[in-house]
Amino acid sequence: MGWKIIETNQLTPKDIDRQGNKLLTGNGYIGYRGTLEEFNKEQKTATIVSGLYDQVGNQWREPVNLPNGCFVQVLYKGEVLHALTSKVLEHTQSLDMQNAIHERETVFETTDGIRIAVHARRFASLARRHLICMEYSVSADRECEVDIETGIDGDVWDLNGPHLRNICAMEKDGLTSICAVTHENGIRVAVSEAITFTNARQFSGEERSADDFKILRKLNQVNIQNGFTFYKFISHCVGLESNNPLEDSRGMCQQAAELGFDGLFAEHAKFWSERWADCDIQIEGDFSAQQALRFSMYHLLSIVPMHTSAASIPARGMSGQMYKGAVFWDTEIFMLPFFTHVFPSMARNLLLYRYHTLDGARRKAKEYGYRGAFYAWESQDTGEDACTLFNVTDVFTNRPMRTYFRDKQVHISADIAYAFWKYYTSTGDVSIWRDGGAEVIFECARFFLSYTYFNPDKHRYEILDVTGPDEYHERVHNNAFTNRLVAHTFEVCLLVAACLQESFTEKYSELMNVLGFEPDLALISEMAQKLYRPDSDSPAAVIPQFDGYLRLENISIKTLLERKLHPHEYLGGGNGLAATTQIIKQADVILALYLFGEKYSSETKSINWEYYESRTEHGSSLSACSYSLVAAQIGKADWAYKYFMKTATIDLDGEGKEYVGTLYIGGTHPAGNGGAWMSAVFGLCGIHVSDEGISVNPRLPAHWTQVKLSMLFRGQRLRFTLNHTSVAIEMVNRAETSLPVSINRQNYVLPQTGALMISIN
Amino acid sequence: MGWKIIETNQLTPKDIDRQGNKLLTGNGYIGYRGTLEEFNKEQKTATIVSGLYDQVGNQWREPVNLPNGCFVQVLYKGEVLHALTSKVLEHTQSLDMQNAIHERETVFETTDGIRIAVHARRFASLARRHLICMEYSVSADRECEVDIETGIDGDVWDLNGPHLRNICAMEKDGLTSICAVTHENGIRVAVSEAITFTNARQFSGEERSADDFKILRKLNQVNIQNGFTFYKFISHCVGLESNNPLEDSRGMCQQAAELGFDGLFAEHAKFWSERWADCDIQIEGDFSAQQALRFSMYHLLSIVPMHTSAASIPARGMSGQMYKGAVFWDTEIFMLPFFTHVFPSMARNLLLYRYHTLDGARRKAKEYGYRGAFYAWESQDTGEDACTLFNVTDVFTNRPMRTYFRDKQVHISADIAYAFWKYYTSTGDVSIWRDGGAEVIFECARFFLSYTYFNPDKHRYEILDVTGPDEYHERVHNNAFTNRLVAHTFEVCLLVAACLQESFTEKYSELMNVLGFEPDLALISEMAQKLYRPDSDSPAAVIPQFDGYLRLENISIKTLLERKLHPHEYLGGGNGLAATTQIIKQADVILALYLFGEKYSSETKSINWEYYESRTEHGSSLSACSYSLVAAQIGKADWAYKYFMKTATIDLDGEGKEYVGTLYIGGTHPAGNGGAWMSAVFGLCGIHVSDEGISVNPRLPAHWTQVKLSMLFRGQRLRFTLNHTSVAIEMVNRAETSLPVSINRQNYVLPQTGALMISIN
């Protein structure tokens, strides 16, 4: 139950965009949009390869879309059977999340009344990351011959391309290939295809055709009355990791063809099965929630790069070139918790991506006159900031609008430090500090040291001129969220320094020498103590989001929206309608209340949740889960569930913004996926992990009869079974030390074997 | 030569606006626009009384326009003879600046061919500030009778009115009056009129008519073949200074009528003659410059309040309600030098206005979380800031645009401190500190103490988030101008504290006690030393106007203006075209180079003048004179003259912006008038006054054959005669001590009697 996403609708262009995102298959190295085999760039087919970016002229730098090796089309009497333009009697497109396989079945009717069924399955192999494997079957309800064209389509969809030049289509030893080089850095890429048949005698012969962008082989006069099936094995290689992408891709194709579809699928499915065994969450009593949560995890797992720490998860996953394929704070704050608690090695990889891009962050800090590491707001392969200073177009003048994402959202460096620390306290993996983590933390702290000012009149340090998570209010002073996060960065820096010195003394000395960091530690210590924290000024009061926030115009969202003169006008920026009001784009104070939940009283959380919830426009997919998480903590079960579902279904329903002007900004929302997991586990299930240990305070929705889930805490796998009357926790392996847990504020010690079961309520 | 401004043009509505400004008469208490007697609010008649402001509802607070007592109209066969609508054969309107009298002569032709000439003269008495006196004559070229209506028109022109309520028109003992109360504070106002005739037998009788807004007396069937002359004496009283404005205004009218026009004019002219004797500058060889410079001084003298220190000179003088009648930094930086060096008692009064409004400045500082005195950007009677947060309307959306004039142009408090110090060093008047000046300086310094941050990483204090003089770039960090001025405020604060302690020990102790200021002095001293001065970073290089300025888009003004989509779009503000470029509104760095000229090398001045001149749009009337002043110093004689004339003729040519949208923002530009004096005296004549003494380095335009001028330095009047071959300086009175002067960098001592004459070149 809840493993399959099935679409049976009549296809419209909007459905195609949405399903392209939703039914994506991927393995962290390649992501392939959930489009149909006969589609081309008009329907936004895309094969995104992790970590490969390209820039053409002054356009935005973005991921490269590789030639589409999944292309197949069936011709009946010379006419293509196409799901959008031919007569379709039945059409089903589905995704089996358990086995990570995409499937389509379409029954066409020809003008002379023949029913031709196309059935195709494909998966991006989790066992062999370069590979997409496809089974393609065609059958007819009577005597019938068709031509089938299969090959590689190099004429790809681009937002700011074309990125490939020197495109060359070729065939050798029964394998077809397209190779090319990228525009900016001349990286070689190659896509090759091998095909195999169940019965080669069913067709009259093969032809090859190739033009500048496409290579096809045509199976002529295929007799499909009793069905015809063939297999495609497509491999994708890029010069980032291969000295000869063409040869390597050909070799992998060849090998795959020899192994065969079934064998390859078996090993792929086994890998996925192992994953699900570790992470699946079973919700009884709520099919929609069950499906949405699995969907969320499926997407995260499909796009997490495991083969390298030179890449991370972009804000739109691998669903295309949207948002420049850039990595935002989304990864650290909204996706990392899932990986940290379920697949910590993946989390470690994602974190080390920030070590990989540390030099870029150093260059950015220097560019602005600071020291240390100021991470890119939109990070790609090198850590240079892909974010432009003019990131929005003014709808009234059609002129670029100066925005302060790139230069003022300094919290990015603190978000990264927060994620490292959370990973460390949750996994106990001290080696992360040795392997790059400490250097990242030190440089982030150093950046904030150079960004922070002392107010001699108020005897405190302050952080001025920043943009917090709420992007509708740019360039504010003492953003409560930012100040809190930066204070945390300073504190973590001191802890990590101590930890490194103790555990890896040599590394510590080396780093202190190379970075010349020791002199900065005293000031960081002082700043940690004396940094102004707007959120600790007045317990149990509304925390001002930034200096002067509460003096801004206090209007309702409705009133604000009524002032709009253009449906797509941006509410932030220089003259944005929200900028002079208390209406905010997304969770800001509320996110701080979640991230540092143990520092705030329940009353503070309640007061602030009430205040900000009515003023939040949720113009970002990062917003809802924060409101869900805090709602759960303050006993607002209805709201916690509502915002959880909003987060978990964002790509299922595809309700996100698709276009800004003519710019396609659709795509998947992995931060929403991660936020859904957080809302379910930390929010509704009430499992809270802190430096001290684990506490459980379930706030299950009334109709959830039971939840089973598993997560790791400091290397120990725990299985939870929660319902409305009891909490059971079981350690999967015998632990070395006993683990203290708190259930509904009572302390227990987990037995070293067997389960602890506690009745509640 | 050069004393009269004569207009003989056919009147158009635009001329009427322009001449209303240009031909203004005033005495610092009342200002009366240069309109014609038959005009009403459609032609923007205005009688502005100094220091009286009013607000209606949420509209802008602005000066009160009193009922118009100068109203006269002539009717021929029931038809009004009106310069705009009747047939006009000749029309001359003029201003005699020597005697400060306005004159008009109009020859009308009636439909039946009679030529009727109207001749009127009026002045705002410098001897009796409440009084406007008028002589009005009508004559015809043949037998002719007209009716003449004279009276008080209470239906006045308002931008954000109506400000008068309970308007009551009355007559008693041959005097007509209108009295009323202001809307906001219920201040009583009264305007009364007395008239006298040369020959009462020339008309058949008098009638009175009055409605809610107007009281008129009609002289019936006046025989004008041989001319008819009558006199009006109008007095204006307000409750700010009178317990019974109506009675007082009647009394003054009565007395004026008894004294008669000629006698009153004689005393008025004598007062003006004494003024001119002290301040006139005689330029030989350049009629236009001579006239423009006298025009500039005439306007400054017409609007400077001498009767009170509760008022100062608004940015649009007394020419109407434009700019809310508010006092800007214009007064301190651009007008004060003239007064300081020619009429120091007037300068003293203007400075003490800031003491009068100190509490308002304290309230504003507190409102924003600071200490000390943050002066209003737009100051009226109480020192509350009349500037709104939304001071510009976006032409694309017609929505108010958030601007940062009010809350970020902190340099206002430093400008005031600068003006006090300049006054003190130029006059030697130490009593100014005792009488309020020290308290103002201390509180300004304290404000900046609380505004300034310490950058612990760079070991310096910085001033963040300000708007400098160039309003196209809001919210910048370390504006070179602001930092320089604030450092000067700190330095001056320490000097004033020492001076006060020495000269007025008791006052010093009292202030320290009341203000609790002593503990702040140490920090002020440290800040004075360690405040970052962007202008002293790199000698002889372009001084960045603020952090990051030089990284902004570097385009020409032409390119910028070509990007405009709407002729009136504002170039600053949130999305302003200039904001992201190096194009600036007005002198900013260049003004600092002038104000602190002795701190910069000639090379630095040259480099920066060249750089910024080509990037300055001169969107403010404050801009040209700064470029003139620095151009003179660096040997750019042509530019110095060009920018001097631009400044000096601003209201003569009336080329300033008249409207923003439907908002009338025209009016006089007293800062331009003051700037013209500065450009002539300090720039072209090269007379430089500093703490050390006086230096003279003439840079006369080639066609100026000689300049004679007089100015005060520390109580000693000096007369200068400059030409291309010699400099002569004479002390008017025997001095107590000898005065060192420098001429073309040679040092001399002024003889105690007679003139020092030095050949140059």
Side-chain angles (χ1 to χ4, degrees), chain B residues 111-303:
Chain B
T111 46
D112 46 7
I114 305 177
R115 294 183 177 204
I116 298 177
V118 167
H119 177 213
R121 300 195 297 154
R122 68 170 181 257
F123 61 91
S125 171
L126 193 58
R128 298 162 197 264
R129 68 175 186 272
H130 304 88
L131 214 57
I132 293 179
C133 305
M134 183 189 295
E135 177 190 69
Y136 195 99
S137 306
V138 197
S139 61
D141 63 352
R142 67 190 78 162
E143 175 72 39
C144 172
E145 281 184 353
V146 296
D147 298 331
I148 298 175
E149 289 184 333
T150 176
I152 309 169
D153 180 5
D155 185 17
V156 299
W157 173 45
D158 273 320
L159 295 180
N160 296 283
H163 295 289
L164 298 178
R165 52 190 174 87
N166 301 353
I167 295 176
C168 175
M170 70 193 69
E171 196 210 347
K172 192 179 162 195
D173 304 334
L175 300 174
T176 57
S177 302
I178 285 186
C179 59
V181 295
T182 62
H183 197 93
E184 179 186 5
N185 293 324
I187 307 290
R188 284 182 296 166
V189 306
V191 176
S192 296
E193 179 207 43
I195 59 173
T196 61
F197 322 101
T198 46
N199 188 352
R201 279 167 295 175
Q202 272 181 261
F203 55 94
S204 68
E206 267 187 70
E207 278 174 35
R208 301 286 179 278
S209 68
D211 64 15
D212 281 355
F213 291 103
K214 207 174 205 170
I215 181 161
L216 294 179
R217 51 185 132 196
K218 189 172 173 189
L219 312 182
N220 286 326
Q221 295 168 293
V222 186
N223 179 346
I224 58 168
Q225 185 173 14
N226 296 313
F228 172 76
T229 297
F230 76 102
Y231 299 93
K232 280 171 70 100
F233 306 94
I234 311 120
S235 76
H236 310 77
C237 281
V238 301
L240 293 179
E241 50 166 7
S242 164
N243 289 323
N244 196 331
L246 177 61
E247 277 315 299
D248 287 354
S249 71
R250 286 169 44 83
M252 287 186 268
C253 270
Q254 191 68 57
Q255 188 187 28
E258 285 159 13
L259 290 167
F261 184 86
D262 291 342
L264 290 167
F265 177 66
E267 68 176 7
H268 167 76
K270 180 166 170 288
F271 272 57
W272 271 94
S273 158
E274 286 166 11
R275 282 184 164 184
W276 286 116
D278 281 346
C279 76
D280 188 36
I281 299 177
Q282 288 142 25
I283 300 173
E284 287 177 20
D286 190 338
F287 175 83
S288 300
Q290 172 72 78
Q291 186 187 52
L293 193 53
R294 283 201 179 121
F295 176 83
S296 300
M297 292 189 282
Y298 166 82
H299 269 276
L300 288 170
L301 292 170
S302 296
I303 57 177

Side-chain angles (χ1 to χ4, degrees), chain B residues 335-587:
Chain B
M335 303 179 213
L336 244 295
F338 167 72
F339 294 110
T340 295
H341 287 291
V342 183
F343 299 108
S345 66
M346 299 181 191
R348 194 177 202 274
N349 237 21
L350 293 172
L351 288 169
L352 290 180
Y353 163 77
R354 297 299 189 172
Y355 179 57
H356 174 77
T357 51
L358 177 57
D359 277 344
R362 285 182 172 123
R363 287 190 293 271
K364 180 174 169 187
K366 202 172 171 194
E367 175 194 340
Y368 286 109
Y370 301 107
R371 296 194 295 139
F374 182 6
Y375 276 93
W377 183 244
E378 301 181 1
S379 185
Q380 296 175 334
D381 46 351
T382 63
E384 303 302 316
D385 205 329
C387 187
T388 65
L389 297 182
F390 297 83
N391 234 20
V392 173
T393 298
D394 181 11
V395 294
F396 298 109
T397 59
N398 210 27
R399 293 192 297 223
M401 183 190 292
R402 178 70 160 93
T403 47
Y404 292 87
F405 306 134
R406 186 187 203 272
D407 38 4
K408 298 299 174 187
Q409 273 189 291
V410 297
H411 66 82
I412 177 65
S413 288
D415 303 331
I416 289 168
Y418 179 91
F420 267 95
W421 185 251
K422 264 289 177 193
Y423 167 84
Y424 167 67
T425 56
S426 301
T427 63
D429 173 16
V430 71
S431 73
I432 190 81
W433 304 133
R434 178 198 60 204
D435 296 344
E439 194 169 342
V440 167
I441 299 287
F442 294 165
E443 291 291 54
C444 287
R446 179 134 75 177
F447 166 63
F448 289 116
L449 178 157
S450 71
Y451 200 88
T452 299
Y453 281 91
F454 185 67
N455 183 328
D457 204 40
K458 293 179 175 159
H459 310 289
R460 67 189 191 193
Y461 289 92
E462 299 184 16
I463 301 183
L464 306 172
D465 199 3
V466 304
T467 303
D470 162 30
E471 292 172 331
Y472 289 166
H473 294 90
E474 298 182 321
R475 303 197 59 201
V476 302
H477 301 322
N478 292 311
N479 170 246
F481 174 92
T482 303
N483 283 28
R484 170 58 64 184
L485 265 282
V486 172
H488 181 255
T489 302
F490 289 145
E491 289 157 8
V492 162
C493 171
L494 300 169
L495 293 169
V496 169
C499 175
L500 191 72
Q501 189 167 27
E502 193 189 310
S503 303
F504 306 102
T505 313
E506 264 184 52
K507 181 73 187 174
Y508 175 82
S509 305
E510 180 202 323
L511 266 189
M512 289 293 146
N513 275 337
V514 173
L515 303 180
F517 192 62
E518 220 143 25
D520 289 334
L521 277 170
L523 189 50
I524 285 171
S525 170
E526 188 184 310
M527 286 180 172
Q529 287 164 46
K530 293 192 189 164
L531 182 64
Y532 171 48
R533 294 162 173 88
D535 55 352
S536 53
D537 256 6
S538 335
V542 174
I543 295 164
Q545 188 175 298
F546 49 80
D547 288 355
Y549 169 80
L550 294 173
R551 289 201 307 268
L552 295 179
E553 194 188 6
N554 190 8
I555 55 167
S556 70
I557 293 176
K558 185 167 170 288
T559 303
L560 183 89
L561 296 179
E562 283 167 1
R563 292 180 183 172
K564 281 174 74 167
L565 298 174
H566 187 292
H568 298 136
E569 67 172 287
Y570 183 58
L571 297 178
N575 294 339
L577 281 175
T580 58
T581 74
Q582 293 185 28
I583 303 302
I584 64 175
K585 182 179 177 192
Q586 65 197 92

